[in-house]
């Protein structure tokens, strides 16, 4: 039907599937939980986090814009989608990278973690060419007053103070805050310097 996500030529879009883990290997099951996250057409590089600070479990999905229909250059924005029932979804531009004066032109993959005090931190893989023997960086954003609402209030941290350097690519950053009080960052195909 007209307006259906299946007829939307601007795909990709986000969907949620059940995943099965066997002996350390991931298998995509045929069970689709949410076939289409509304408003997610032309979004890419998503990551999700479950939050339950207020007694209501909320699924947060973050991704970057693939095109300019949101008013910014491709990869210049991080969007947030959230739901408490997997049926009704909300959406906002959580971080507009172009609004900050930095050397980072945009982002591919992003990941979010939270501390018990309500502060959340986002790791961002910078867009553009970064491979080979070149020193590459992961950037970070913080939402210190977000609490349970991760939809806005994010600020890109100063890249001269808060970056993680590596030789070669820093793809797919995964960041976690652990009870020992440290953040741990894992990236694909990086050799730390």
């Amino acid at each position: 039907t007209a307006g259906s996500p299946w007829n939307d030529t601007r795909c990709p879009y986000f969907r949620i599937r059940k995943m099965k883990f066997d002996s350390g290997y991931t298998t995509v099951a045929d069970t689709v939980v949410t076939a289409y996250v509304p408003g997610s057409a032309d979004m890419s590089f998503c990551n999700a986090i479950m939050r339950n600070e207020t007694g209501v479990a909320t699924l947060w999905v973050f991704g970057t814009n693939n095109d300019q229909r949101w008013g910014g250059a491709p990869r210049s924005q991080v969007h947030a989608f959230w739901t408490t029932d997997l049926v009704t979804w909300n959406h906002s531009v959580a971080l507009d990278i172009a609004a900050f004066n930095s050397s980072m032109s945009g982002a591919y993959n992003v990941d979010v973690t939270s501390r018990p005090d309500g502060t959340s931190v986002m790791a961002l893989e910078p867009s553009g060419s970064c491979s080979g023997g070149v020193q590459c960086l992961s950037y970070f954003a913080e939402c210190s007053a977000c609490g349970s609402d991760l939809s806005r209030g994010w600020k890109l941290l100063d890249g001269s103070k808060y970056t993680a350097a590596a030789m070669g690519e820093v793809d797919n950053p995964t960041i976690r805050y652990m009870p020992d009080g440290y953040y741990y960052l894992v990236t694909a195909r990086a050799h730390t310097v």
Side-chain angles (χ1 to χ4, degrees):
T1 62
S4 165
W6 313 116
N7 295 332
D8 192 337
T9 59
R10 297 169 304 166
C11 289
Y13 50 84
F14 298 155
R15 74 175 78 190
I16 299 170
R17 293 180 172 267
K18 283 188 178 179
M19 302 294 284
K20 181 178 180 184
F21 295 91
D22 288 326
S23 303
Y25 295 97
T26 305
T27 305
V28 176
D30 292 330
T31 307
V32 175
V33 176
T34 302
Y36 174 74
V37 174
S40 68
D42 280 328
M43 297 286 164
S44 291
F45 306 108
C46 72
N47 202 290
I49 183 173
M50 283 293 295
R51 302 280 305 261
N52 192 4
E53 291 84 11
T54 61
V56 177
T58 304
L59 174 64
W60 290 87
V61 179
F62 296 90
T64 56
N65 59 319
N66 232 4
D67 68 5
Q68 297 178 350
R69 79 179 174 117
W70 296 104
R75 314 278 186 266
S76 65
Q77 301 166 335
V78 178
H79 291 248
F81 300 86
W82 67 99
T83 182
T84 57
D85 60 9
L86 296 176
V87 176
T88 305
W89 287 85
N90 301 287
H91 168 248
S92 72
V93 177
L95 175 65
D96 186 347
I97 296 167
F100 293 90
N101 184 11
S102 85
S103 60
M104 184 177 174
S105 60
Y108 289 126
N109 296 293
V110 299
D111 192 35
V112 173
T113 191
S114 298
R115 295 193 315 237
D117 69 0
T119 299
S120 294
V121 171
M122 179 186 298
L124 300 103
E125 173 191 340
S127 62
S129 177
C130 186
S131 61
V134 177
Q135 184 175 3
C136 304
L137 303 173
S138 289
Y139 288 84
F140 301 95
E142 183 180 61
C143 194
S144 59
C146 284
S148 62
D149 182 6
L150 303 178
S151 66
R152 60 194 81 251
W154 290 91
K155 295 191 178 358
L156 194 62
L157 296 176
D158 181 353
S160 67
K161 296 179 185 176
Y162 303 100
T163 55
M167 293 304 287
E169 299 175 13
V170 288
D171 297 350
N172 309 313
T174 299
I175 188 167
R176 295 292 179 265
Y177 180 80
M178 302 304 281
D180 64 4
Y182 287 94
Y183 291 99
Y184 291 86
L185 179 71
V186 178
T187 62
R189 295 191 304 264
H191 304 285
T192 304
V193 293

